[in-house]
Amino acid sequence: MNNTHSSEQEPGDQGPDEQEPADTAGSEQATPSEPRRHPALIATAIALPVALLVGVVVAAVFVARTPVNSPVGLGPVPAPDAESESCTSLLGALPEDLGDYTRAELADPAPAGAAAWQSADGAEVVLRCGLERPAEFDQAAALTVIDQVQWFEISGAQQGIDASTWFAVDRPVYIALTVPNGSGPTPLQDVSASIAETLPQQEIDPAPIGGP
């Protein structure tokens, strides 16, 4: 198990504990109240209304849960650095297993900079590398530190989606990991370890509060 700072919250039911703001404290999370929907609905970013307006949200092509061991279909998203050396290095360093999730094949046409893992019941963890800076990541955003990687979380609760997307914001490229609620800390811990070992840390670059 990788060293993980303790926190008040895990991804979903049990998240990492330590949060620190990019500038000031972040917002509270809502509790999902709608029926469970699959993370592939949002690929690597939760479809929050404000993100939809600014074109940050990404979507997958499938609405229903992907059958176990079937290729995972992901739609195209704005990812200008997906084919960068940083993303190529990270994808090559990612583990085959993230706890109960096993590396899955991507359906053609597979987008650059993407990876996915499936559990035995068909739930998915999806990673995207080289994304644009998330619109919600500003100087007031609360950050969670896992194995020296700073993550910014966007919950799917407001959309009735039982998953959260976590953005690594302190590396040369933005990396997003969409994790079903209740998955425990292992997916984030294992991906954090790969990021920390592969990509150099750099200063975060949040947007100004109320800025573009």
Side-chain angles (χ1 to χ4, degrees), residues 79-95 103 111-115 117 127-131 171-175 194-195 197-200:
D81 296 319
E83 298 185 86
S84 65
E85 182 178 349
S86 292
C87 288
T88 299
S89 298
L90 176 61
L91 290 178
L94 292 170
R103 190 74 172 260
W117 295 259
L127 179 142
R128 297 271 196 162
C129 183
L131 300 177
R171 303 292 148 165
V173 291
Y174 287 103
I175 304 151
S194 294
I195 292 173
E197 292 170 0
T198 307
L199 303 178

Side-chain angles (χ1 to χ4, degrees), residues 71-162:
V72 176
L74 299 176
V77 302
D81 296 319
E83 298 185 86
S84 65
E85 182 178 349
S86 292
C87 288
T88 299
S89 298
L90 176 61
L91 290 178
L94 292 170
E96 288 299 308
D97 297 299
L98 300 176
D100 295 331
Y101 296 84
T102 300
R103 190 74 172 260
E105 180 184 354
L106 296 182
D108 291 330
W117 295 259
Q118 286 181 322
S119 66
D121 64 359
E124 295 170 5
V125 170
V126 176
L127 179 142
R128 297 271 196 162
C129 183
L131 300 177
E132 297 175 344
R133 181 176 63 189
E136 297 85 354
F137 177 49
D138 61 22
Q139 292 173 349
L143 302 180
T144 300
V145 180
I146 306 172
D147 288 339
Q148 302 181 352
V149 178
Q150 297 186 67
W151 293 90
F152 166 61
E153 181 187 10
I154 299 179
S155 171
Q158 294 183 15
Q159 300 299 310
I161 298 171
D162 196 16

Side-chain angles (χ1 to χ4, degrees), residues 9-16 153 164 166 179-188:
Q9 214 174 10
E10 292 186 2
D13 291 343
Q14 323 168 356
E153 181 187 10
S164 290
W166 297 73
V179 183
N181 293 345
S183 299
T186 303
L188 269 168

Side-chain angles (χ1 to χ4, degrees), residues 6-122:
S6 62
S7 141
E8 299 176 359
Q9 214 174 10
E10 292 186 2
D13 291 343
Q14 323 168 356
D17 283 336
E18 181 179 342
Q19 291 197 341
E20 55 183 45
D23 185 13
T24 58
S27 59
E28 296 182 357
Q29 295 205 22
T31 300
S33 58
E34 297 296 325
R36 179 182 178 89
R37 301 181 191 175
H38 197 269
L41 285 168
I42 50 172
T44 62
I46 300 301
L48 298 177
V50 65
L52 282 171
L53 292 175
V54 297
V56 171
V57 171
V58 295
V61 295
F62 294 150
V63 175
R65 293 173 65 89
T66 302
V68 180
N69 298 324
S70 295
V72 176
L74 299 176
V77 302
D81 296 319
E83 298 185 86
S84 65
E85 182 178 349
S86 292
C87 288
T88 299
S89 298
L90 176 61
L91 290 178
L94 292 170
E96 288 299 308
D97 297 299
L98 300 176
D100 295 331
Y101 296 84
T102 300
R103 190 74 172 260
E105 180 184 354
L106 296 182
D108 291 330
W117 295 259
Q118 286 181 322
S119 66
D121 64 359

